[in-house]
Amino acid sequence: MSQQRFPSLAHWGAFHAVVEQGRVVRCDPFPGDAHPSPILQSMPGMVHSPLRIQKPAVREGWLRSRERSDRSARGQDSFVEVDWDTALGLVAEELARVRGEHGAGAIFGGSYGWSSAGGLHHARTLVQRFLHSGGGCVGQVGNYSWGAAQFLLPHVIGTFAPVTGRVTDWRSVVAHTRLFLAFGGLPMRNMQVTSGGAGEHSSAAWIAQAAQADIEFVIISPTRADVPPGVRARWLPIRPNTDTAMLLAMAHTLVAEGLHDAEFLRTHCTGFDAWKRYLEGAVDGQVKDATWAASICGIDATTITELARACARQRTMLNCTWSLQRAHHGEQPYWASIALAAVLGQIGLPGGGFSFGHGSINGAGTPRPDVSAPRLSAGTNPLRRNIPAARLADMLLQPGEAFEFNGKRDTYPDIRLVYWAGGNPFHHHQDLNRLLRAWQKPETIVVHDSWWTPTARRADIVLPATTTLERDDVGGSTRDRYMLAMKQAIAPVAQSRNDFDIFRELAARGGHEPLFTEGRTEAEWVRHLYENTAADWQRAGYAMPAFDAFWAQEQVALPEPDRHMVLFEAFRQQPDAKPLDTPSGKIELFSNQIAGFGYDDCPPHPTWLPPHEWLGAAASQRWPLHLISSQPADKLHSQLDAGALSQAAKVHGRQAVRLHSSEAKSRKIFDGQLVRVRNDRGSCLGGAVIDDTVMPGVLVMSTGAWFDGDAGAVERLGNPNVLTADIGTSRLTQGCAAMSALVDVEPWTQEAPAVRAFTSPLTVP
Ligand SMILES: Nc1nc2c(c(=O)[nH]1)N[C@H]1C(S)=C(S)[C@@H](COP(=O)(O)OP(=O)(O)OC[C@H]3O[C@@H](n4cnc5c(=O)[nH]c(N)nc54)[C@H](O)[C@@H]3O)O[C@H]1N2
Ligand SMILES: Nc1nc2c(c(=O)[nH]1)N[C@H]1C(S)=C(S)[C@@H](COP(=O)(O)OP(=O)(O)OC[C@H]3O[C@@H](n4cnc5c(=O)[nH]c(N)nc54)[C@H](O)[C@@H]3O)O[C@H]1N2
Ligand SMILES: [Mo]
């Protein structure tokens, strides 16, 4: 049988699609990748899945009466398939109606979501570009990944670049770090993924090198599974959301014992004295010593003080995964880790200081020249109106209501039309039962996706989009060395079309096609994006092939830069000549700017603030387990949940629910049993996995199960977001606080309801 191979790229890695008779039969990892991800295996099945959306489809109730349809029927109603001309006509007409009657401020086009890899066909960027070119829309700022860090860090260190992976590079760590404190651990599973896709899984390779170096790792996390295999490591189980208390106590120990770097604090920081008074108890009468912290975080006082002294004795790197700030008051552990690093005085030294994101994503700390990656621009939004990304349901439920965000007061717009492509809010948003209510507010919801995802099923107009394998593109990430050709491997499945083409046609109908396309065809855009990026790389001194040569050779790679990247090295050496972009030019351990906002949920210096739900709260009497809804090992978020790898990981056909044997025993739960996880916000089914790598008091459920629920009913597949709370991290950053939720679990003794998420809504009555 004749086979053809086409280079391609996904967020989980580069590969060749192997095609036989028009079907993808296999995805072979990119030869340059020594640590490819098994997630690739799910792709062929998903590309040809019966869950692919075949034709444009319109919800029956909406088709009958647009403005007065029963919006609570979204997700229940049947769909009517229509031809493309009819579907595009309906979308164009509805956009024009809403724009005409209510203005651009009634259209929501934030469309949060990871979409697919590829610089041109990034669905979320395309929605925004389309709506921006047509008069604007309400957008989303920040993200669910590191929203708290994004808006806190500029106040403290003048930039949020470190949280994007621009941290002291691994070469510096391997050569100089002796002690590596990993808050949130270094879970290998998360390093399968790079936003935009990567040619190589470099983080896994660097962890392997670190295992050979003279580095001691201390993994501070609620589960031992966060310890990477092969490294010399100690695991300290910590009560979730209490890292700030531990970090404060470590700083207190160093100051009390005179082990702090007074000179660095004086020359490179501001506000140390005010913060020191807080540590010493002058502000609230509580000394932030190790005994105090031990009672909060569950790690004993001696371990905390000894760890603090060990940090002061040698070159130490303090790293926090992104999960720490995806929690109520998630600003505090980040600020406290910077403050502790400042007390140690190693910021800007090789292998020392602080970093973020190791263990969260592939490519953090990978040595790479600081040049761009290919990416279409979303253009500018003429409306200039945004909400913080994670405040989606608040916006829909509370039009006209005021909210605070980063020192400013704004009001929520009144949204009539929601346009989503490249994201899955019924995967990513918190408190999905609340989102179900909010989702009834808009008059019209338009979704593009390739599959009948939970969000597509709850839309009014659904347009089938091609997958990466059905179009040409050029891809790469700013955390990876490669730029890669992505070649169309198969014809579009069923009637699916490229998002780009869908939007081009809609723009033509709306009279703004030239603004959307800038006169370029798809092929011309791919070439243009390559040439733009190549010009940038060339300016930095790298010889680049012309587009045709690149396309033929399928890839180009950047060399490792000669110099090690050390975060804030220049600032350390010349604090006055190379100040930080903060009001003081220094690291702010007390921020006058934040003080000026007067937010009691984000005080002006690193502070222990108990989250609204945690194991020390009164609510834990009723809901005694802390839910950790971490990233899934077997997929990317909800992408590929119907695929082979994810399906194989289901327990009883549901999401695995991991808990310690002592917690299982006291609840009479046995391994493999069907269970219900619940709290006051909702409940879901799952399959119990007794796992003593999880500390007692904690329940681990990965995200990504396709939400399979109805209002008021138990969710059937195991999406933890029916349990999480839909609150902002604080008024300063309004980020996602998914990691602060308490639950309980019990055996499910009734008959197991069938999972419906993996059937097309066209085939069920
Ligand atoms: N409880 C809890 N919730 C969380 C988190 C957590 O830690 N705990 N993490 C949060 C984080 S950090 C994130 S980033 C979010 C992720 O949330 P999302 O980014 O929304 O999740 P994805 O599953 O990646 O959604 C991408 C969607 O785009 C579709 N898609 C892919 N390619 C294309 C294309 O070419 N065209 C179109 N039209 N569609 C396409 C996919 O089928 C999928 O439905 O989840 C957040 N939610
Ligand atoms: N395979 C795979 N990889 C992914 C993704 C995916 O969906 N699949 N998603 C990608 C995306 S979009 C993002 S944003 C990143 C997310 O990266 P992270 O936010 O870092 O990932 P999580 O898996 O949520 O959490 C990492 C670990 O933090 C620990 N943890 C949770 N809460 C606490 C706490 O309060 N204190 C301490 N000390 N530890 C805690 C948990 O044990 C968990 O294993 O992952 C990326 N990588
Ligand atoms: Mo994320």
Side-chain angles (χ1 to χ4, degrees):
M1 193 77 61
S2 88
Q3 289 189 335
Q4 285 175 291
R5 297 167 62 79
F6 298 90
S8 193
L9 180 65
H11 297 302
W12 44 89
F15 63 98
H16 282 90
V18 181
V19 175
E20 243 178 55
Q21 293 190 318
R23 286 180 76 87
V24 180
V25 293
R26 223 173 52 233
C27 292
D28 289 343
F30 182 61
D33 189 355
H35 300 267
S37 162
I39 294 175
L40 265 179
Q41 295 165 16
S42 287
M43 286 192 81
M46 283 301 281
V47 167
H48 300 289
S49 158
L51 285 167
R52 284 294 296 265
I53 302 167
Q54 306 280 318
K55 297 179 184 168
V58 185
R59 182 169 74 85
E60 208 167 28
W62 187 90
L63 206 52
R64 270 198 311 273
S65 167
R66 217 167 285 188
E67 281 145 276
R68 279 178 299 283
S69 85
D70 174 11
R71 298 177 206 149
S72 69
R74 284 187 182 125
Q76 319 280 334
D77 239 352
S78 43
F79 281 95
V80 181
E81 290 183 325
V82 298
D83 59 37
W84 269 106
D85 190 52
T86 308
L88 293 174
L90 289 172
V91 176
E93 204 181 284
E94 187 58 3
L95 277 168
R97 179 190 74 83
V98 173
R99 239 185 242 294
E101 287 177 12
H102 308 285
I107 299 174
F108 183 66
S111 193
Y112 183 78
W114 265 50
S115 312
S116 50
L120 174 59
H121 295 285
H122 187 261
R124 183 191 188 198
T125 307
L126 289 165
V127 191
Q128 294 177 339
R129 190 179 167 91
F130 164 68
L131 291 173
H132 295 171
S133 68
C137 63
V138 175
Q140 280 165 299
V141 286
N143 56 40
Y144 285 67
S145 309
W146 31 261
Q150 178 170 348
F151 298 106
L152 168 77
L153 294 181
H155 293 288
V156 178
I157 51 173
T159 169
F160 66 86
V163 81
T164 68
R166 284 188 185 80
V167 288
T168 298
D169 75 31
W170 271 110
R171 295 176 303 181
S172 180
V173 170
V174 165
H176 301 281
T177 306
R178 296 287 75 96
L179 179 61
F180 192 113
L181 265 53
F183 289 87
L186 294 164
M188 297 305 299
R189 64 160 192 279
N190 289 353
M191 295 182 254
Q192 296 178 89
V193 162
T194 316
S195 176
E200 57 191 2
H201 286 89
S202 49
S203 293
W206 282 110
I207 300 257
Q209 278 211 33
Q212 304 304 314
D214 183 23
I215 305 176
E216 184 194 356
F217 286 86
V218 179
I219 306 295
I220 302 128
S221 150
T223 159
R224 188 156 37 104
D226 289 337
V227 179
V231 304
R232 196 156 60 85
R234 193 148 63 104
W235 174 47
L236 298 180
I238 188 164
R239 204 170 275 157
N241 293 190
T242 65
D243 304 79
T244 304
M246 176 168 175
L247 289 157
L248 294 177
M250 289 175 71
H252 178 269
T253 302
L254 295 173
V255 175
E257 298 185 3
L259 296 172
H260 60 300
D261 188 335
E263 179 64 12
F264 184 83
L265 288 163
R266 191 179 61 74
T267 51
H268 290 75
C269 305
T270 177
F272 173 64
D273 291 337
W275 187 51
K276 182 166 171 271
R277 282 194 292 279
Y278 167 75
L279 291 178
E280 289 170 345
V283 177
D284 56 5
Q286 175 62 60
V287 183
K288 310 302 176 301
D289 60 13
T291 309
W292 162 80
S295 70
I296 293 170
C297 73
I299 297 173
D300 68 84
T302 315
T303 304
I304 295 173
T305 45
E306 282 178 0
L307 191 60
R309 291 173 196 142
C311 292
R313 269 199 306 274
Q314 56 203 316
R315 190 56 54 84
T316 299
M317 179 60 81
L318 303 172
N319 179 68
C320 294
T321 51
W322 297 342
S323 55
L324 267 76
Q325 52 84 65
R326 201 176 306 110
H328 194 209
H329 305 137
E331 301 83 8
Q332 302 310 321
Y334 267 42
W335 204 349
S337 76
I338 294 169
L340 175 59
V343 164
L344 287 164
Q346 298 185 17
I347 295 169
L349 292 180
F354 64 88
S355 60
F356 304 118
H358 288 297
S360 298
I361 199 110
N362 176 55
T366 287
R368 181 196 189 268
D370 207 1
V371 291
S372 63
R375 193 68 182 262
L376 181 73
S377 156
T380 44
N381 183 359
L383 189 69
R384 296 184 192 287
R385 189 157 187 198
N386 292 300
I387 58 159
R391 303 277 43 86
L392 169 69
D394 286 0
M395 170 192 72
L396 294 175
L397 287 167
Q398 301 158 7
E401 235 170 78
F403 66 96
E404 285 282 335
F405 175 45
N406 206 5
K408 295 202 178 74
R409 204 176 168 76
D410 204 345
T411 53
Y412 288 118
D414 187 358
I415 297 299
R416 309 295 176 118
L417 187 150
V418 167
Y419 208 127
W420 223 299
N424 191 358
F426 277 95
H427 150 66
H428 69 234
H429 197 63
Q430 286 53 67
D431 196 348
L432 290 177
N433 288 312
R434 181 169 187 256
L435 184 63
L436 276 177
R437 294 193 292 279
W439 206 246
Q440 295 180 25
K441 291 281 183 168
E443 289 157 12
T444 298
I445 298 173
V446 185
V447 168
H448 303 188
D449 209 300
S450 308
W451 296 275
W452 281 108
T453 64
T455 302
R457 302 171 87 95
R458 288 171 178 78
D460 299 318
I461 304 178
V462 182
L463 303 181
T466 54
T467 69
T468 325
L469 295 176
E470 295 147 58
R471 57 204 188 206
D472 285 344
D473 211 331
V474 53
S477 151
T478 54
R479 301 300 341 129
D480 181 61
R481 299 192 299 125
Y482 288 90
M483 179 151 53
L484 296 133
M486 300 167 66
K487 300 191 182 177
Q488 181 179 352
I490 55 170
V493 167
Q495 289 191 12
S496 60
R497 289 192 186 177
N498 300 344
D499 296 289
F500 180 89
D501 289 322
I502 301 172
F503 287 125
R504 186 174 43 73
E505 277 214 33
L506 287 170
R509 288 175 194 238
H512 52 101
E513 185 185 0
L515 212 52
F516 176 74
T517 63
E518 291 178 48
R520 287 188 192 91
T521 64
E522 221 165 327
E524 286 163 351
W525 266 112
V526 172
R527 181 181 288 267
H528 179 71
L529 291 180
Y530 170 80
E531 285 170 352
N532 252 353
T533 312
D536 187 43
W537 291 18
Q538 217 143 12
R539 274 191 298 275
Y542 307 103
M544 295 296 290
F547 176 78
D548 294 319
F550 157 73
W551 197 250
Q553 75 193 44
E554 300 180 1
Q555 44 154 303
V556 280
L558 292 163
E560 272 189 4
D562 295 335
R563 275 181 65 79
H564 290 192
M565 149 80 182
V566 175
L567 185 63
F568 295 141
E569 186 177 39
F571 165 67
R572 180 183 186 95
Q573 287 164 0
Q574 294 174 281
D576 298 320
K578 302 268 169 67
L580 299 184
D581 201 10
T582 54
S584 62
K586 298 181 176 185
I587 298 170
E588 303 223 341
L589 305 183
F590 183 102
S591 162
N592 284 316
Q593 212 160 46
I594 294 179
F597 301 156
Y599 296 149
D600 56 1
D601 55 358
C602 191
H605 56 68
T607 304
W608 161 248
L609 297 174
H612 77 122
E613 285 179 24
W614 68 298
L615 291 171
S620 70
Q621 302 287 323
R622 184 142 176 251
W623 305 114
L625 298 172
H626 195 117
L627 171 71
I628 298 292
S629 50
S630 42
Q631 309 298 320
D634 45 26
K635 53 188 168 282
L636 172 69
H637 317 132
S638 70
Q639 299 193 42
L640 310 174
D641 189 34
L645 195 69
S646 177
Q647 290 296 313
K650 305 272 180 207
V651 180
H652 247 287
R654 329 271 159 160
Q655 174 59 44
V657 171
R658 298 181 174 273
L659 74 172
H660 191 268
S661 52
S662 61
E663 301 291 3
K665 199 170 166 205
S666 63
R667 291 170 177 80
K668 301 192 167 47
I669 291 171
F670 57 84
D671 196 59
Q673 188 175 11
L674 196 61
V675 292
R676 175 169 69 159
V677 188
R678 64 192 183 98
N679 61 19
D680 290 323
R681 290 176 288 271
S683 66
C684 65
L685 296 183
V689 176
I690 295 177
D691 180 352
D692 283 354
T693 66
V694 178
M695 67 187 273
V698 168
L699 187 140
V700 177
M701 254 185 112
S702 296
T703 62
W706 282 14
F707 173 69
D708 193 12
D710 310 302
V714 61
E715 194 275 334
R716 296 174 285 268
L717 190 58
N719 185 315
N721 274 326
V722 298
L723 304 160
T724 51
D726 188 8
I727 55 167
T729 40
S730 76
R731 282 176 288 169
L732 184 82
T733 66
Q734 295 288 10
C736 163
M739 289 301 176
S740 306
L742 291 172
V743 298
D744 205 353
V745 57
E746 66 205 358
W748 176 261
T749 49
Q750 301 169 40
E751 201 184 326
V755 170
R756 287 183 237 155
F758 302 126
T759 10
S760 153
L762 294 171
T763 57
V764 288

